[in-house]
Each structure stands twice: as C-alpha cells, then as structure tokens.
Amino acid sequence: MPKHQGQKKKLIVLARILQERTDLQTGMTTAELMSALLEYGIGSERKSIYNDIETLRSLGYDIRLQRKGTECRYYLASRLFELAELKILVDAVQSSRFLPADQTSRLIEKLETLCSRRQAHVLQRQVYVANRPKSMNKSIYETIDVLHEAMSGGAQVSFFYMEWTAQKTLRRRRQERYVVSPYALIWQDECYYLLAYDSAAQGLRHYRVDKMEELCRLEETPREGLEEFKKLNLAAYTNTTFGMFGGKTTSVTICFDASLAGVVIDRFGKEVMFLPRSEGKFAVTQDIVVSPQFMGWMAGLGTLAKIEAPVAVANAFAAHCIDLAAMYQSKANGAPT
C-alpha cells in the first residue's frame, strides 16, 4: 500500500470538507472527496475514505449516505445549528442597531462557517434584504465586556454619554462623566440598554450601550442601589417604558376595542387583566411611563383606544393631539410657522 502525504491532518481536513461542501441537499461521492483532499495536498485511496468516514461517525459526526441509482454521495446531515436557527441569528445580528456595520459583517461571516457554502449563500441573501441603520460605536464589544465584568464583580462604572447633533455628529451630552451602578442589560427596540442605579438621582436609569464612550470599571467602588433593583420587575419595566424613554410611572386605565386584543397582549404580556366594557370592549389598568412615545402609541391606535383614567393623563393626551392638529392646521391655512 503506497504511503500518501498529509495523513496526520487527513481526518481533520475531511471533516472540514464535509462541513463546508455538503448538506441535506448536496452530497459528495468518494471520488469527489478524494479530489477535494488533493486540493490540500493529501493523497488518499477509496478504502481509506470509507475508514475515515466511519472514524468521524464514531466521533459524533452525523455523516449519511445518499443513494441515487448507482451513485452514492456522503453528506453531513446535522450540525450544531440548523439553517433555520442560523437565519434567526443572522437576522438578529443584522437588525441590532448597536453593532457597527463592519463588526456585523465579521460576526455574520463567523456564523456562515457553521453551515455549508450553499447554505451560507442563503444567509448572505437574507442579510441583503435585512439592511438596517447601524451604530457608529466601534468599541461596542469592549463596552459590553466591561459592563459584564462590572456586574459580576459588583463594581460601578464611569463613562461619557453621547448624543446626535443636527449636523449629524456625536457630542457629549454633558462634560462630566456618568458614574452608575450597573445591574442588567436589556434588549429593546433592536437596541442594547444598560439598566443602572444612579446615586445622584436616587433611582434606576437606563442608557443606550452604543452611546457610551470611554467606559471604565471602578474596581474600588462597590455598587449601590441593590435593594432598589431587587424591587424591580424587569419584564414589567420593559413593557411599560415605551421606546425606553424615561418619565414618571403612573397607573393608567385604557379602554380598547376588542380588535386590539393582540396589540395589547404584544405590548403588556399575556398575563395582563382584561376588564370587560360595553359593546365588547375591554379595559386594561397598567403602570406606564407617560412619555411622548406613549402619546405616539396611543395616537397610532386612533379611535379604537381611549384613556379612561387618570384624568390628568387623558387631558395631557388631548392637549398633545390639539397641539399637533394646530400645527398642521396653521400650515393648511397658510399661516407662517
């Protein structure tokens, strides 16, 4: 039996070939596998391919044989991630505003290595369709790492908080550094937020992670506000904070048309209590951060939803609508703006 070169790495290379070039729809014959190994400078014989495949199977590789007439093709039938799972992960990465475009591309390229080349092409097409605005923060990975380390170590963090200007440039919201006690990272509206305790404000606040700059962990400064954080229901917090904009939390009762049941469940969760009203309508009482984003949500529901209580919130919403109507009415009448 002739001795071929590259036998020590042959098994690893064969496994890579099967991972990259085969899937449920695409297999390779023994001759094709031998030819592919030659691309790596590895010679082989037909019988040795059979033995190597059995070895890989014994190591957990799900390699199967597909017979079509007299032709037999080997393919890798299952992987750590199914194609449908990778599609979900790719879309999540692509839609994440906090990830800069170049880091998004690199992360997706790594995900593509978990499937065959043919399947990777499907993922690339999905990326093209799912194009969305991205963050400009190049240090996002480092920021997230520091936040996790600070939370696990029970330390405070310090950072500058950025905001956009009308000239489309980023500037510091204030010249002083923010010093907060980090407790949780929240995924909301395709963005990453840090939930932290602000000692100066004596309460919990949230911050866009991609708007943090020069973040550092204050190793010698222990966290504060633990009792305040323990009182918080994170699920309720994200449901009642519209667009992650802060404000005063108020118990609000809203009457909805029956057709909005799905909208209400999507917003407040399946456990929310529906209080029956006349004509098949229902009402919900929920703690809500009354912010401009909440007003916008209510306006989007039109006449199918009405704030019942408290009167102050209902009046504030009415004033919000009147102000908007007046602005457009003045333009319609030709009045100067």
Side-chain angles (χ1 to χ4, degrees):
M1 179 184 295
K3 187 175 182 180
H4 297 287
Q5 293 183 343
Q7 297 305 299
K8 289 184 177 179
K9 61 181 180 180
K10 180 183 174 187
L11 206 60
I12 296 174
V13 173
L14 182 61
R16 180 186 298 174
I17 290 169
L18 288 165
Q19 287 175 327
E20 293 179 351
R21 308 187 191 187
T22 73
D23 52 49
L24 292 174
Q25 283 74 42
T26 308
M28 296 180 71
T29 64
T30 305
E32 289 171 339
L33 289 172
M34 293 169 64
S35 177
L37 284 169
L38 280 176
E39 296 175 18
Y40 291 87
I42 302 173
S44 60
E45 297 178 348
R46 187 175 296 272
K47 185 177 180 180
S48 69
I49 294 292
Y50 301 147
N51 294 334
D52 291 337
I53 287 176
E54 289 305 317
T55 301
L56 289 173
R57 283 171 173 166
S58 69
L59 294 173
Y61 287 84
D62 186 12
I63 302 170
R64 301 185 188 180
L65 187 63
Q66 183 185 65
R67 297 182 184 275
K68 288 186 178 180
T70 58
E71 187 179 67
C72 297
R73 291 181 172 272
Y74 292 98
Y75 67 96
L76 191 62
S78 59
R79 304 166 187 269
L80 182 62
F81 290 97
E82 299 299 329
L83 182 59
E85 295 171 329
L86 288 174
K87 286 181 179 179
I88 293 172
L89 292 174
V90 166
D91 194 46
V93 169
Q94 183 65 30
S95 65
S96 302
R97 296 181 188 176
F98 73 91
L99 284 173
D102 56 345
Q103 292 183 353
T104 295
S105 298
R106 286 198 296 270
L107 187 51
I108 290 174
E109 286 174 3
K110 292 179 181 179
L111 289 172
E112 289 173 358
T113 64
L114 300 175
C115 62
S116 70
R117 292 175 182 174
R118 184 192 66 81
Q119 292 171 329
H121 179 66
V122 175
L123 296 180
Q124 290 167 1
R125 290 203 332 233
Q126 182 173 341
V127 173
Y128 175 78
V129 172
N131 187 28
R132 294 176 176 91
K134 307 296 288 182
S135 167
M136 301 294 289
N137 190 338
K138 302 294 184 180
S139 60
I140 189 70
Y141 286 165
E142 182 182 344
T143 298
I144 292 173
D145 283 343
V146 172
L147 289 174
H148 277 294
E149 289 173 2
M151 286 188 286
S152 62
Q156 293 189 26
V157 293
S158 172
F159 56 90
F160 289 109
Y161 203 52
M162 312 302 288
E163 64 180 1
W164 286 102
T165 68
Q167 291 73 40
K168 298 183 180 179
T169 58
L170 283 170
R171 68 182 179 193
R172 293 176 180 175
R173 179 170 291 184
R174 70 184 194 196
Q175 293 307 307
E176 300 82 15
R177 296 180 71 91
Y178 285 71
V179 178
V180 299
S181 301
Y183 279 101
L185 287 169
I186 299 172
W187 180 275
Q188 181 83 334
D189 299 327
E190 299 180 354
C191 292
Y192 233 162
Y193 294 87
L194 169 69
L195 179 65
Y197 182 80
D198 186 336
S199 300
Q202 293 292 299
L204 292 166
R205 298 288 186 270
H206 53 259
Y207 308 88
R208 277 266 298 268
V209 173
D210 60 313
K211 290 186 177 181
M212 296 177 180
E213 275 202 353
E214 298 182 26
L215 176 78
C216 62
R217 174 185 173 188
L218 306 178
E219 297 185 16
E220 304 301 324
T221 310
R223 285 190 305 186
E224 300 176 350
L226 179 59
E227 292 304 317
E228 190 78 13
F229 175 69
K230 286 182 177 179
K231 297 176 186 176
L232 183 69
N233 182 321
L234 274 177
Y237 181 83
T238 54
N239 284 340
T240 59
T241 307
F242 285 74
M244 294 304 288
F245 278 77
K248 183 181 179 181
T249 301
T250 307
S251 179
V252 180
T253 300
I254 308 171
C255 181
F256 296 94
D257 185 84
S259 63
L260 295 180
V263 174
V264 175
I265 291 173
D266 287 343
R267 177 73 254 183
F268 301 115
K270 193 176 180 181
E271 302 305 315
V272 66
M273 183 178 293
F274 285 6
L275 306 173
R277 293 290 192 267
S278 61
E279 301 176 355
K281 297 180 180 180
F282 64 92
V284 166
T285 298
Q286 193 79 11
D287 287 338
I288 289 173
V289 175
V290 181
S291 64
Q293 284 61 41
F294 166 68
M295 300 293 189
W297 184 73
M298 283 297 303
L301 300 179
T303 58
L304 298 179
K306 180 181 179 181
I307 298 172
E308 291 185 345
V311 174
V313 175
N315 289 342
F317 177 63
H320 175 79
C321 294
I322 290 171
D323 289 343
L324 286 176
M327 180 177 70
Y328 286 97
Q329 188 64 37
S330 64
K331 288 185 177 182
N333 294 334
T337 57

